[in-house]
Amino acid sequence: MIRAGQLGAAEWWIEAEGERRVAALHVAGEVLTAQVRGHGLSGSVVDPRDHALEALGGAADGAIRSPMPGAVARVLVAAGDRVEAGQILVVVEAMKMENEFKAPMAGLVVEVAVTAGTAVDANALLVVVEAEEGA
C-alpha cells in the first residue's frame, strides 16, 4: 500500500513498503512532474474513474454503468423523466467518495435499474437514457 501526505504547497511525503520519501510535486493541467532524491519524473494525471468508464465503452449508447462497486446514495430521476445532457442522474458512494453519474445526452430516461441504499457491483447498470429525436 502507498500512503502520502502534503507537507507544504508543493512538497509531499510518500510512503511505500515502510519507506518514507519526500517529493516535490507540481501539477499543471494533466501533467505531473516530481523530484525525488534528485531524480526528475513526469507523468500524466489520470482519474481512475475516467479510465474505468473508457474501458466500459462510456455511455455513448445511453447506458450509464458504475465503473466501481459501491452503494447507491441517491437516485435523482425516474423512468419517463426528460433529462438534459450533463444532468446528474445517480450518485454512487465508493471508497468514501460520492461519484455523480450524469446524462450523456439530452433525452428520456427509459430505465432506472437501481434504488437508493442498494449495493452495486462494478459495471452495474444504473440508468438508461434514450436520445431525443433531433438532439
Side-chain angles (χ1 to χ4, degrees):
M1 179 166 74
I2 297 174
R3 297 179 343 125
Q6 193 165 10
L7 295 170
E11 191 173 48
W12 290 72
W13 60 266
I14 301 170
E15 185 176 283
E17 298 178 9
E19 287 191 44
R20 186 176 284 204
R21 302 272 191 265
V22 174
L25 302 176
H26 177 71
V27 178
E30 293 185 4
V31 177
L32 169 88
T33 54
Q35 285 285 328
V36 181
R37 290 190 165 186
H39 298 281
L41 306 167
S42 65
S44 298
V45 177
V46 177
D47 185 332
R49 295 173 295 184
D50 291 341
H51 180 70
L53 285 172
E54 287 172 14
L56 294 173
D61 63 353
I64 294 94
R65 298 180 177 277
S66 179
M68 76 288 283
V72 178
R74 292 186 300 284
V75 177
L76 304 170
V77 293
D81 288 354
R82 294 212 174 279
V83 296
E84 296 298 321
Q87 181 177 334
I88 300 168
L89 309 174
V90 176
V91 178
V92 174
E93 184 179 314
M95 296 173 39
K96 298 184 181 182
M97 290 181 58
E98 288 194 346
N99 302 280
E100 298 176 339
F101 293 89
K102 300 176 182 179
M105 79 266 306
L108 182 70
V109 175
V110 294
E111 181 181 356
V112 177
V114 295
T115 58
T118 60
V120 293
D121 292 325
N123 201 27
L125 178 65
L126 303 173
V127 177
V128 178
V129 176
E130 188 175 274
E132 288 183 329
E133 293 295 319

